[in-house]
Amino acid sequence: MTDSPHPDAGPLSVPAGRRPAIAGLGMTELGKVYGPTSAQFAATAVRRAVADAGLALADVDGLLTSSGVTGGVSVDLQRELGLTDLRLLTHMQAYGSTAGSMVQYASMAVQSGMASVVACVFADSPLRPERRSSAIYGTRHAGAGWWGLLGASGVIGANPMYALAARRHMLRYGTTSEQLGHIAVAQRAWAALNPAAQLREPITLADHQESRWIAEPFHLLDCCLVSNGGIAVIVTTAERAAQLAQPPVHVLGWAQAHPGHHLRRDPDFGLTSGAAQAGPAALAMARLGIGDVDVAQLYDCYTFTVLLTLEDYGFCAKGEGGPFAASGVLGPAGKLLLNTGGGQLSGYYMWGMTPLSEAVIQARGQGGGRQAETHDVILVSGNGGVLDHHSTLVLGSAGAAS
């Protein structure tokens, strides 16, 4: 584990007016939405985020873009939006950890004065009416070289790799499929309260266990959705955000971790992730502890990713994620408010923008029937690759930032 940041390194040491805040959130229609390209989804999301903040496109002087498996989103989005005289422009890619990383870089930009209003956007459009969603991610790495060897052995895509990681955890700690199922059931219960969720029909643990196998130990209900759409956020200074249309969501702390163990012999594969470094570091920057967290929005490409992140962030001890999930602590009636929009398992799959967007909604107090009563501190995770990349954000309402 890396050392904690210097106590003066975080945004709380910066003059209050220059501390970073999220001032706008833009979301397109999400899910089985056919027609628009990824670039069109991205442009719509940025325009909606700018309008949500009460700004004009001309106010934007920074643009960070990211795209999913279909690509199509790049720095060329500047032209699509008609943005001129940008002071910050780049395309970023660290898979599911990218959204959190974009907010981190945007925060440093506005904090330093490099830019004043930065739009961060992700969009993807992998769904097609004529093909199954399983075909989208399952074959994208099959080909020559090392990936070809994996393909020849049947290890194609993320499903079997994450299944190996989960199996490792099961063998070491006794984690069970039923324990993973409790995560799926709890998040579906949250999704039932979210009008934007793709899957809102309640499920039981029996439903989870009876859903078809994808790659043992994963059932269908252990695996995330596939969605079309785009989401953008606007990052600016706290001083400016306080004058805009929405309640500011303050960026209190952040960190990244990139273990670099992908496809290598690694004694920790499946047992720990970059969350073990990034989580404590981000909380230290915010000068908070895990006990201060009111709401957690954790990246959930699989139920197992949630379980591992819960352990690595310190919500429970290492190896106790399974019993913790099965204890009744999750779901709308539980004491840990986790993935309150249904996450990527039942809500919508926009990579790291899924947990980030729900965190913004909760921090603003705009969650409707799923709104957390206490939402001053929200922990947000992003995970990329097969536990290869991790980003953490600590977000806060006005009360947490004071």
Side-chain angles (χ1 to χ4, degrees):
M1 180 174 293
T2 58
D3 294 335
S4 297
H6 188 278
D8 293 331
L12 295 183
S13 64
V14 175
R18 294 218 61 82
R19 295 173 188 170
I22 297 173
L25 171 65
M27 302 170 64
T28 70
E29 290 69 28
L30 302 167
K32 295 181 179 180
V33 184
Y34 305 117
T37 66
S38 297
Q40 290 169 334
F41 278 126
T44 299
V46 171
R47 291 189 179 102
R48 290 183 180 182
V50 168
D52 179 67
L55 294 165
L57 276 173
D59 294 312
V60 175
D61 59 1
L63 178 63
L64 302 178
T65 67
S66 182
S67 58
V69 294
T70 57
V73 183
S74 71
V75 294
D76 293 339
L77 187 64
Q78 177 185 10
R79 290 200 298 268
E80 170 69 23
L81 293 169
L83 299 175
T84 58
D85 299 320
L86 293 182
R87 296 193 286 163
L88 174 66
L89 175 65
T90 195
H91 185 78
M92 295 177 56
Q93 186 59 275
Y95 308 109
S97 70
T98 311
S101 298
M102 286 196 292
V103 171
Q104 295 173 20
Y105 292 130
S107 296
M108 289 186 282
V110 301
Q111 191 171 281
S112 67
M114 181 180 180
S116 60
V117 176
V118 182
C120 307
V121 61
F122 168 87
D124 202 6
S125 55
L127 288 176
R128 299 288 184 274
E130 70 278 3
R131 65 173 174 173
R132 295 168 57 91
S133 59
S134 59
I136 296 162
Y137 283 81
T139 60
R140 66 190 180 113
H141 284 316
W146 175 247
W147 291 112
L149 291 174
L150 286 176
S153 69
V155 180
I156 300 175
N159 289 335
M161 294 301 294
Y162 270 97
L164 287 172
R167 182 65 71 190
R168 178 79 184 282
H169 198 279
M170 290 174 161
L171 292 173
R172 175 66 64 88
Y173 298 116
T175 307
T176 68
S177 172
E178 289 82 358
Q179 291 168 343
L180 295 177
H182 282 281
I183 296 172
V185 171
Q187 293 194 196
R188 181 63 65 86
W190 280 115
L193 304 175
N194 180 6
Q198 286 181 235
L199 300 177
R200 302 184 64 195
E201 185 72 23
I203 58 172
T204 65
L205 188 59
D207 292 329
H208 172 271
Q209 290 293 290
E210 292 167 7
S211 65
R212 63 185 175 88
W213 289 111
I214 299 299
E216 291 190 46
F218 292 149
H219 292 273
L220 175 65
L221 293 178
D222 286 303
C223 305
C224 68
L225 297 161
V226 179
S227 308
N228 289 350
I231 299 178
V233 295
I234 303 297
V235 179
T236 187
T237 63
E239 180 178 29
R240 187 163 191 174
Q243 302 169 8
L244 297 177
Q246 299 290 348
V249 178
H250 298 273
V251 187
L252 306 178
W254 60 77
Q256 299 177 32
H258 307 272
H261 295 153
H262 183 59
L263 297 180
R264 295 185 180 182
R265 190 177 205 172
D266 172 29
D268 292 332
F269 180 69
L271 306 180
T272 189
S273 71
Q277 296 181 357
L283 286 165
M285 178 182 281
R287 302 176 190 176
L288 296 168
I290 197 67
D292 297 310
V293 174
D294 299 314
V295 182
Q297 307 293 348
L298 304 186
Y299 197 92
D300 58 327
C301 49
Y302 301 91
T303 51
F304 172 69
T305 317
V306 177
L307 184 146
L308 190 63
T309 307
L310 286 169
E311 293 181 351
D312 288 343
Y313 276 174
F315 285 104
C316 61
K318 177 54 63 180
E320 296 183 5
F324 183 75
S327 69
V329 72
L330 306 180
K335 67 178 183 179
L336 177 59
L337 304 183
L338 171 71
N339 292 348
T340 50
Q344 300 174 123
L345 294 172
S346 291
Y348 45 85
Y349 183 59
M350 285 284 106
W351 287 18
M353 280 293 182
T354 298
L356 177 59
S357 59
E358 180 65 15
V360 172
I361 291 168
Q362 287 291 327
R364 290 176 170 182
Q366 298 173 349
R370 67 186 190 279
Q371 178 60 47
E373 182 176 354
T374 304
H375 50 89
D376 284 337
V377 178
I378 302 179
L379 191 62
V380 185
S381 78
N383 169 78
V386 185
L387 307 175
D388 301 307
H389 311 287
H390 198 91
S391 63
T392 303
L393 294 171
V394 182
L395 304 182
S397 66
S402 60

